[in-house]
Amino acid sequence: MNNDNNIDFKDLWKKQSVSQPDLTDLLARLSKFKKAALRSLWMINILLSVTSVFIVFIWIYYQPQFVSTKIGIVLTILAMVVYVFVYNKLMSDYKNIDATQPNQEYLQKLISIKKKQQFLQTKMMSFYFIALTLGICLYMYEYASRMSALGASLTYGITLLWMLFNWFYIRPKQIKKQQEKINTLIEKFEEVNNQLKA
């Protein structure tokens, strides 16, 4: 009888001393991840909304004459609206992360968020940058056509260099950072699930 009690106590002790603190820390990390993701989502919504309103204001105030300028404005706003629309689909996933769920549900939600993030970081980000670059280049044409060849070349050159810098340096760093955060959480939840099964 004493032997049985010792075995039960060991199992209970293992679950309490190893799994429980890990799970508490993990839930704190998950909460931090959720808050940061929602904050980032709201910031992008606000930033792109304000930018779109500003672009519309420029259109109304300056009354561009070239059709290319108007197409550029529409394309730039369209790129932002489509990106925000798709990005906002993640909001419900982040909001549905709840402290009362079992580990397996956390894991499934995180895997779902990871897949959506990958779609956003690849296909949607490519669409966004291509549409934005085309829109800005078309928009700038009317004003660049009034400049000297050197001025127009500098204007386009600086703008395109900035976009290339964003595409090849800033974007990959942000993607890597996001992937590391979610991959770490997924790995930790898998570890806890494996500990609880053992």
Side-chain angles (χ1 to χ4, degrees), residues 77-133:
I77 292 172
L78 180 70
M80 290 189 262
V81 167
V82 170
Y83 184 78
V84 165
F85 176 76
V86 174
Y87 194 37
N88 280 339
K89 289 188 174 187
L90 276 171
M91 190 178 292
S92 63
D93 288 316
Y94 291 131
K95 282 186 174 179
N96 288 336
I97 294 174
D98 184 342
T100 60
Q101 294 168 328
N103 291 346
Q104 195 58 38
E105 279 187 42
Y106 284 130
L107 194 54
Q108 292 308 313
K109 280 213 165 68
L110 288 171
I111 290 168
S112 170
I113 288 170
K114 182 181 175 178
K115 285 178 185 172
K116 287 178 183 177
Q117 271 186 350
Q118 284 172 336
F119 173 75
L120 198 69
Q121 292 161 348
T122 53
K123 291 185 172 70
M124 282 314 301
M125 193 59 83
S126 297
F127 164 78
Y128 176 73
F129 265 96
I130 291 166
L132 195 66
T133 303

Side-chain angles (χ1 to χ4, degrees), residues 61-86:
Y61 188 79
Y62 288 102
Q63 294 290 311
Q65 302 301 307
F66 288 17
V67 174
S68 61
T69 311
K70 294 170 186 173
I71 292 170
I73 290 170
V74 170
L75 204 54
T76 302
I77 292 172
L78 180 70
M80 290 189 262
V81 167
V82 170
Y83 184 78
V84 165
F85 176 76
V86 174

Side-chain angles (χ1 to χ4, degrees), residues 49 90 153:
S49 298
L90 276 171
S153 298

Side-chain angles (χ1 to χ4, degrees), residues 21-71:
D22 283 350
L23 191 57
T24 306
D25 175 55
L26 194 51
L27 290 175
R29 283 187 192 193
L30 186 65
S31 176
K32 189 177 173 184
F33 170 77
K34 176 184 173 178
K35 284 177 186 171
L38 285 170
R39 192 170 41 250
S40 173
L41 198 86
W42 281 112
M43 288 298 293
I44 285 174
N45 271 283
I46 292 165
L47 192 65
L48 293 183
S49 298
V50 169
T51 305
S52 295
V53 168
F54 179 70
I55 291 169
V56 169
F57 167 76
I58 288 172
W59 186 349
I60 293 166
Y61 188 79
Y62 288 102
Q63 294 290 311
Q65 302 301 307
F66 288 17
V67 174
S68 61
T69 311
K70 294 170 186 173
I71 292 170

Side-chain angles (χ1 to χ4, degrees), residues 142-155:
E142 180 173 346
Y143 307 103
S145 67
R146 298 174 191 160
M147 297 177 186
S148 65
L150 179 65
S153 298
L154 277 172
T155 303

